[in-house]
């Protein structure tokens, strides 16, 4: 009996490429045959039919097929340049590319590398009929991709026009999915119970003009506000950029936007129209909307040179024994524009401001006279506001009616989009101004009386209050009363500009 001769079987070499468009498709419940496990199993069976071994696998999770800029695909292209192989196997042609030009590029690169592209669901080969099938499937993939994008945009537009939220709700809200008794799901947006109150507070705080965006971000993190967690990362702290974006996002006042168009949303607003308008005004204001000043000294930013009107800045000198002397010096000290050359010792500047507060105190009789006059003026102002209130209500109602008619015309395609957007911006601006003015006419007489009483109490005891205050309290008092303090080197060289409302009180005939 002759010994049998054995011939080794040579396996062909293959690599696989798998792609899913969304994270939901990555698992086993991701869709009919499109999940990663389902694609992997179909490719394994195809490789067995071809007598090939899948030596490497390249996967793109949650990546669109409309671009070649995919990490897994790029690794595949690098791999086939250096590694001999026979097949590149995909589940379907549209997993590799979603348009004909990308399909042609990828097919050429695979062919140049000496391999053949194989689909587990479509018959493609180098024969004329195989090339025809390949071309048809590539065209179908491109059509599907473009048509899908068109349908998605159409659906998003219809949803927005009906007040729905396109995509993920912003910070402070949650997307909620509900099912009725028939198993039909409905999607809505609710206020996030953990984050909503922080967002509402941020708008109220910033509308007061007392906060910068950076300070607001720090405070929100201190209060426990975090960004929404994502699949692979824990919740992150909010940043200055995040806060600035949310302060500009009209979604929080109950408006949804798409391609620059605004529509009334179905979700509950976190911000009322008055607060929203005030926040936008502060953001747009160069004076209040940029940043808070960091005070190295409580008078920094308040004292100015009496000669050239520029700010006085802090400057320190050190002796060889380690003693530090701090001065206020003119910002233009070495410029020919300012004759003031001498530095002002900080302790002397502090005392001169303390002494000035004595000059703005009211006597008891001055206070009584002013209180009588100011309360009479408040009553008159209230009557005038009530009249203006009525006029503003009518104007606001008219603007809202105009806006509704404009939307109706837009839906009926009776107004060009550019004209619609221009008119919508104009109405939005006018409505914001009227809303702010409307809020200003809301007169709470008791609150105004308390404010008058607090102001007069402060002016009656200004020197004592300021002298006993700590540095932070002095900052607040100076910001409340003093607009600018102009100083020269000589003790008598001092001139103070009070804030307008307090200057009016000091100049009132009743206290002269």
């Amino acid at each position: 009996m002759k010994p049998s001769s054995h011939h080794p079987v040579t396996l062909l070499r293959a690599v696989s490429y798998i792609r899913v468009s969304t994270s939901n498709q990555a698992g086993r419940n991701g869709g009919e045959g499109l999940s990663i496990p389902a694609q992997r199993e179909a490719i394994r069976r195809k490789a067995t039919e071809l007598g090939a071994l899948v030596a490497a696998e390249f996967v793109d999770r949650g990546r669109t097929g409309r671009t070649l800029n995919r990490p897994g695909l790029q690794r595949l292209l690098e791999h086939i340049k250096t590694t001999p192989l026979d097949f590149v196997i995909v589940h379907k042609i549209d997993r590799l590319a979603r348009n004909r030009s990308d399909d042609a590029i990828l097919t050429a690169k695979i062919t140049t590398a000496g391999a053949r592209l194989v689909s587990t669901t479509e018959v493609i080969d180098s024969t004329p009929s195989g090339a025809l099938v390949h071309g048809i499937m590539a065209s179908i993939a491109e059509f599907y991709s473009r048509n899908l994008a068109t349908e998605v945009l159409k659906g998003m537009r219809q949803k927005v026009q009906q007040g729905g939220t396109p995509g993920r709700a912003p910070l402070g809200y949650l997307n909620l999915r509900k099912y009725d008794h028939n198993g039909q799901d409905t999607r809505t947006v609710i206020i996030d119970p953990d984050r909503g109150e922080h967002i509402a507070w941020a708008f109220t705080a910033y509308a007061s003009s007392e906060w910068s965006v950076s300070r607001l971000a720090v405070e929100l993190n201190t209060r426990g506000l975090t960004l929404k967690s994502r699949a692979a990362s824990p919740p992150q702290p909010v940043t200055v950029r995040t806060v600035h974006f949310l302060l500009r996002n009209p979604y929080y006042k109950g408006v949804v936007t798409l391609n620059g168009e605004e529509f009334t949303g179905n979700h509950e607003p976190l911000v009322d129209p008055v607060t929203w308008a005030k926040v936008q005004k502060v953001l747009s204001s160069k004076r209040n909307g940029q940043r808070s000043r960091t005070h190295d000294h409580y008078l920094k930013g308040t004292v100015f040179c009496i000669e050239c009107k520029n700010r006085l800045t802090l400057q320190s000198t050190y002796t060889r024994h380690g003693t530090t002397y701090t001065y206020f010096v003119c910002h233009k000290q070495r410029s020919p524009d300012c004759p003031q050359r001498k530095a002002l010792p900080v302790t002397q500047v502090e005392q001169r401001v303390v002494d000035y507060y004595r000059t703005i105190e009211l006597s008891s009789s001055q206070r009584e006279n002013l209180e009588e006059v100011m309360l009479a003026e408040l009553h008159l102002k209230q009557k005038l506001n009530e009249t203006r209130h009525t006029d503003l209500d009518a104007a606001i109602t008219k603007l809202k009616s105009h806006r509704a008619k404009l939307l109706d015309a837009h839906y009926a395609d009776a107004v060009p989009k550019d004209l619609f957007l221009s008119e919508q911006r104009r109405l939005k601006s006018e409505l914001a101004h009227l809303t702010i003015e409307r809020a200003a006419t809301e007169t709470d007489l008791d609150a105004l009386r308390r404010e008058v009483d607090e102001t007069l109490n402060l002016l009656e005891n200004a020197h004592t209050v300021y002298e006993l205050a700590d540095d932070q309290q002095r900052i607040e008092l100076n910001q409340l009363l003093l607009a600018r303090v102009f100083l020269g080197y000589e003790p008598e060289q001092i001139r103070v500009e009070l804030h307008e409302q307090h200057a009016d009180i000091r100049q009132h005939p009743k206290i002269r």
Side-chain angles (χ1 to χ4, degrees):
M1 182 176 180
K2 294 182 179 180
S4 60
S5 57
H6 297 280
H7 300 283
V9 177
T10 303
L11 288 175
L12 300 175
R13 292 158 297 183
V15 296
S16 65
Y17 177 73
I18 298 171
R19 181 182 66 81
V20 289
S21 301
T22 66
S23 57
N24 287 338
Q25 291 176 319
R28 288 196 176 274
N29 297 322
E32 297 178 2
L34 290 181
S35 67
I36 290 176
Q39 291 185 51
R40 181 181 292 125
E41 178 61 22
I43 290 171
R44 185 192 64 78
R45 288 197 303 268
K46 189 66 175 180
T48 301
E49 291 176 11
L50 295 170
L53 175 69
V54 178
E57 179 182 271
F58 301 91
V59 181
D60 278 314
R61 293 175 173 83
R63 297 283 179 169
T64 176
R66 299 177 68 181
T67 173
L68 297 181
N69 187 23
R70 289 170 258 155
L73 178 62
Q74 293 303 315
R75 289 195 300 272
L76 166 65
L77 295 177
E78 288 298 317
H79 181 80
I80 65 177
K81 288 180 182 178
T82 58
T83 305
L85 52 89
D86 300 290
F87 304 108
V88 174
I89 307 176
V90 295
H91 176 58
K92 293 178 67 176
I93 292 299
D94 63 10
R95 298 299 86 196
L96 194 65
R98 279 288 193 183
N99 62 66
R100 284 171 293 179
S101 59
D102 286 349
D103 177 79
I105 292 171
L106 294 173
T107 302
K109 289 187 175 183
I110 292 170
T111 302
T112 301
R116 181 162 68 88
L117 178 62
V118 175
S119 167
T120 67
T121 57
E122 298 122 353
V123 180
I124 55 174
D125 52 41
S126 58
T127 65
S129 60
L132 176 61
V133 171
H134 189 171
I136 291 172
M137 297 312 299
S139 297
I140 290 175
E142 181 173 12
F143 169 78
Y144 174 81
S145 178
R146 291 185 177 181
N147 187 60
L148 179 63
T150 302
E151 292 301 315
V152 167
L153 289 175
K154 185 191 298 182
M156 286 178 62
R157 181 172 179 78
Q158 290 174 348
K159 185 175 184 178
V160 167
Q161 287 177 346
Q162 295 168 5
T165 300
R168 196 181 193 197
L171 192 66
Y173 289 93
L174 293 174
N175 294 89
L176 185 65
R177 194 170 187 172
K178 296 180 180 179
Y179 295 89
D180 60 22
H181 61 281
N182 294 321
Q184 196 73 21
D185 72 315
T186 57
R187 303 186 185 190
T188 186
V189 172
I190 62 171
I191 293 176
D192 188 333
D194 297 325
R195 296 180 174 88
E197 62 179 330
H198 297 309
I199 303 296
W201 174 84
F203 275 91
T204 302
Y206 197 75
S208 70
S209 302
E210 296 176 0
W211 292 78
S212 68
V213 175
S214 57
R215 279 186 59 214
L216 209 57
V218 172
E219 178 63 21
L220 287 170
N221 283 313
T222 302
R223 287 170 173 255
L225 179 65
T226 58
L227 301 179
K228 296 177 183 178
S229 60
R230 296 190 180 272
S233 62
Q236 299 294 315
V238 296
T239 63
V240 172
R241 183 178 181 182
T242 303
V243 176
H244 197 276
F245 175 78
L246 71 85
L247 291 176
R248 286 288 193 191
N249 191 348
Y251 191 89
Y252 295 106
K253 67 169 180 173
V255 171
V256 288
T257 59
L258 184 66
N259 298 330
E261 301 175 44
E262 294 190 348
F263 304 89
T264 302
N266 296 328
H267 61 283
E268 182 181 349
L270 280 170
V271 185
D272 62 86
V274 174
T275 303
W276 167 264
K278 287 181 179 178
V279 166
Q280 303 318 300
K281 186 176 181 180
V282 174
L283 284 170
S284 301
S285 168
K286 292 182 180 180
R287 182 171 181 270
N288 296 321
Q290 299 298 317
R291 58 184 175 88
S292 297
R293 182 172 301 281
T294 300
H295 291 267
D296 300 317
H297 186 277
Y298 67 85
L299 286 174
K300 187 178 178 182
T302 301
V303 289
F304 293 77
C305 174
I306 201 168
E307 298 289 349
C308 68
K309 311 301 184 291
N310 281 290
R311 292 184 187 276
L312 297 182
T313 58
L314 282 174
Q315 179 176 298
S316 298
T317 58
Y318 306 90
T319 68
R320 62 178 181 174
H321 302 294
T323 305
T324 303
Y325 294 95
T326 308
Y327 301 89
F328 276 108
V329 297
C330 179
H331 180 63
K332 295 281 188 178
Q333 184 186 33
R334 298 183 181 180
S335 168
D337 299 335
C338 181
Q340 181 156 285
R341 296 287 184 269
K342 294 182 179 180
L344 285 66
V346 164
T347 53
Q348 293 183 20
V349 172
E350 291 173 347
Q351 189 57 48
R352 289 167 73 178
V353 176
V354 169
D355 293 340
Y356 173 78
Y357 266 86
R358 194 188 305 276
T359 69
I360 62 173
E361 281 193 341
L362 298 176
S363 66
S364 296
S365 60
Q366 287 175 327
R367 183 221 159 91
E368 290 176 6
N369 291 337
L370 264 179
E371 187 170 14
E372 179 185 345
V373 171
M374 292 176 74
L375 289 177
E377 290 178 351
L378 283 180
H379 283 288
L380 177 60
K381 182 179 180 180
Q382 185 182 30
K383 291 181 179 179
L384 293 174
N385 280 348
E386 288 173 354
T387 302
R388 179 60 179 156
H389 203 165
T390 303
D391 294 340
L392 287 171
D393 280 343
I396 289 172
T397 301
K398 185 177 179 180
L399 274 179
K400 288 182 176 179
S401 174
H402 188 179
R403 186 175 62 180
K405 291 178 181 177
L406 180 67
L407 277 173
D408 289 340
H410 178 57
Y411 293 153
D413 293 328
V415 179
K417 182 177 179 180
D418 56 347
L419 178 59
F420 166 73
L421 292 175
S422 174
E423 188 67 3
Q424 190 180 57
R425 283 192 293 268
R426 182 186 68 80
L427 292 174
K428 176 182 174 183
S429 176
E430 290 185 12
L431 191 58
H433 285 102
L434 290 177
T435 303
I436 292 176
E437 188 179 351
R438 167 76 162 66
T441 64
E442 293 280 1
T443 306
D444 185 343
L445 197 58
D446 290 336
L448 289 175
R449 282 174 177 164
R450 288 193 297 271
E451 187 176 333
V452 167
D453 190 55
E454 290 171 1
T455 301
L456 294 178
N457 282 340
L458 175 60
L459 290 176
E460 190 175 13
N461 303 284
H463 178 260
T464 302
V465 171
Y466 189 80
E467 194 171 34
L468 296 176
D470 59 29
D471 287 359
Q472 183 57 41
Q473 291 168 334
R474 287 189 174 188
I475 289 174
E476 294 170 2
L477 285 168
N478 289 337
Q479 289 177 340
L480 178 65
L481 295 172
L482 312 181
R484 293 191 292 180
V485 178
F486 296 96
L487 296 169
Y489 183 75
E490 301 300 330
E492 65 275 8
Q493 288 184 297
I494 180 170
R495 180 171 61 82
V496 178
E497 290 181 359
L498 295 173
H499 285 301
E500 185 177 353
Q501 64 271 33
H502 298 292
D504 291 342
I505 292 174
R506 294 297 311 168
Q507 295 170 6
H508 199 282
K510 285 285 185 178
I511 65 171
R512 288 182 179 177

